[in-house]
Coordinates of all heavy atoms in Angstrom, one line a residue:
L177 N -7.0 -0.8 34.0 CA -5.9 -1.3 33.2 C -4.7 -1.7 34.1 O -3.9 -2.6 33.7 CB -5.5 -0.2 32.2 CG -6.5 0.1 31.1 CD1 -6.2 1.4 30.4 CD2 -6.6 -1.1 30.1
R178 N -4.5 -0.9 35.2 CA -3.4 -1.3 36.1 C -3.6 -2.7 36.7 O -2.7 -3.5 36.8 CB -3.3 -0.2 37.2 CG -2.8 1.1 36.6 CD -2.3 2.0 37.8 NE -2.1 3.3 37.2 CZ -1.1 3.6 36.4 NH1 -0.2 2.7 36.0 NH2 -1.0 4.9 35.9
K179 N -4.8 -2.9 37.1 CA -5.2 -4.2 37.8 C -5.0 -5.3 36.8 O -4.3 -6.3 37.1 CB -6.6 -4.1 38.3 CG -7.0 -5.4 39.0 CD -8.4 -5.2 39.6 CE -8.9 -6.6 40.1 NZ -10.3 -6.6 40.4
Y180 N -5.6 -5.3 35.7 CA -5.6 -6.4 34.8 C -4.4 -6.5 33.8 O -3.9 -7.5 33.5 CB -6.9 -6.5 33.9 CG -8.1 -6.8 34.8 CD1 -8.9 -5.7 35.2 CD2 -8.5 -8.1 35.1 CE1 -10.0 -6.0 36.0 CE2 -9.6 -8.3 35.9 CZ -10.4 -7.3 36.3 OH -11.5 -7.5 37.1
G181 N -3.9 -5.3 33.5 CA -2.8 -5.2 32.5 C -1.5 -5.1 33.2 O -0.4 -5.1 32.5
G182 N -1.5 -5.1 34.5 CA -0.2 -5.0 35.3 C 0.6 -3.8 35.0 O 1.9 -3.9 34.9
I183 N 0.0 -2.7 34.7 CA 0.7 -1.4 34.4 C 1.1 -0.7 35.7 O 0.2 -0.4 36.5 CB -0.1 -0.5 33.5 CG1 -0.5 -1.3 32.2 CG2 0.6 0.8 33.2 CD1 -1.5 -0.5 31.3
P184 N 2.3 -0.5 36.0 CA 2.7 0.1 37.3 C 2.4 1.6 37.3 O 2.3 2.2 36.3 CB 4.2 -0.2 37.3 CG 4.7 -0.3 35.9 CD 3.5 -0.9 35.1
E185 N 2.4 2.1 38.5 CA 2.1 3.5 38.7 C 3.1 4.4 38.1 O 2.9 5.6 37.9 CB 2.0 3.8 40.3 CG 0.7 3.3 40.9 CD -0.6 4.1 40.5 OE1 -0.4 5.2 39.9 OE2 -1.7 3.6 40.7
T186 N 4.3 3.9 37.9 CA 5.4 4.7 37.3 C 5.1 5.1 35.9 O 5.8 5.9 35.3 CB 6.7 3.9 37.4 OG1 6.5 2.6 36.8 CG2 7.3 3.8 38.8
K187 N 4.1 4.4 35.3 CA 3.8 4.7 33.9 C 2.5 5.5 33.8 O 1.5 5.2 34.5 CB 3.6 3.4 33.1 CG 4.8 2.5 33.1 CD 6.0 3.0 32.4 CE 7.2 2.3 32.7 NZ 8.4 2.9 32.2
R188 N 2.5 6.5 32.9 CA 1.3 7.3 32.7 C 0.6 6.7 31.5 O 1.2 6.5 30.4 CB 1.7 8.8 32.3 CG 0.5 9.7 32.1 CD 0.9 11.1 31.7 NE 1.9 11.7 32.6 CZ 1.6 12.2 33.7 NH1 0.3 12.2 34.1 NH2 2.5 12.7 34.5
I189 N -0.7 6.4 31.7 CA -1.5 5.7 30.7 C -2.0 6.8 29.7 O -2.8 7.7 30.2 CB -2.6 4.9 31.3 CG1 -2.0 3.8 32.1 CG2 -3.5 4.3 30.2 CD1 -2.9 2.9 32.9
M190 N -1.6 6.8 28.5 CA -1.9 7.9 27.5 C -3.1 7.7 26.7 O -4.0 8.5 26.6 CB -0.7 8.1 26.6 CG 0.6 8.5 27.4 SD 0.5 10.1 28.1 CE 0.7 11.1 26.7
I191 N -3.2 6.5 26.0 CA -4.3 6.3 25.0 C -4.4 4.8 24.7 O -3.5 4.1 24.9 CB -4.0 7.2 23.7 CG1 -5.2 7.4 22.8 CG2 -2.8 6.6 22.9 CD1 -6.2 8.4 23.3
A192 N -5.6 4.5 24.2 CA -5.8 3.1 23.8 C -6.1 3.1 22.3 O -6.6 4.1 21.7 CB -7.0 2.5 24.5
I193 N -5.8 2.0 21.6 CA -6.1 1.8 20.2 C -6.8 0.4 20.1 O -6.1 -0.6 20.4 CB -4.9 1.9 19.3 CG1 -4.1 3.2 19.5 CG2 -5.3 1.7 17.8 CD1 -2.9 3.4 18.6
A194 N -8.0 0.4 19.7 CA -8.7 -0.8 19.5 C -8.3 -1.3 18.1 O -8.1 -0.5 17.2 CB -10.2 -0.6 19.5
I195 N -8.0 -2.6 17.9 CA -7.5 -3.1 16.7 C -8.1 -4.4 16.3 O -8.2 -5.3 17.2 CB -6.0 -3.1 16.7 CG1 -5.4 -3.5 15.3 CG2 -5.4 -3.9 17.8 CD1 -3.9 -3.2 15.2
G196 N -8.5 -4.6 15.0 CA -9.0 -5.9 14.6 C -9.5 -5.8 13.1 O -9.2 -4.8 12.5
Y197 N -10.1 -6.9 12.6 CA -10.5 -6.9 11.3 C -11.9 -6.1 11.2 O -12.8 -6.5 11.9 CB -10.6 -8.3 10.7 CG -9.3 -9.0 10.8 CD1 -8.9 -9.8 11.8 CD2 -8.3 -8.7 9.8 CE1 -7.6 -10.4 11.9 CE2 -7.0 -9.3 9.8 CZ -6.7 -10.1 10.9 OH -5.5 -10.7 10.9
P198 N -12.0 -5.1 10.4 CA -13.2 -4.3 10.4 C -14.5 -5.1 10.0 O -14.4 -5.9 9.1 CB -12.9 -3.2 9.4 CG -11.4 -3.1 9.3 CD -11.0 -4.5 9.5
D199 N -15.6 -4.8 10.6 CA -16.9 -5.2 10.2 C -17.5 -4.1 9.4 O -18.1 -3.2 9.9 CB -17.7 -5.6 11.4 CG -19.2 -5.9 11.0 OD1 -19.5 -5.9 9.8 OD2 -20.0 -6.2 11.9

Side-chain angles (χ1 to χ4, degrees):
L177 291 167
R178 291 195 190 289
K179 179 176 170 193
Y180 293 95
I183 303 173
E185 285 290 345
T186 51
K187 303 294 168 191
R188 184 184 305 285
I189 297 176
M190 299 292 284
I191 198 77
I193 303 180
I195 182 164
Y197 299 99
D199 174 358

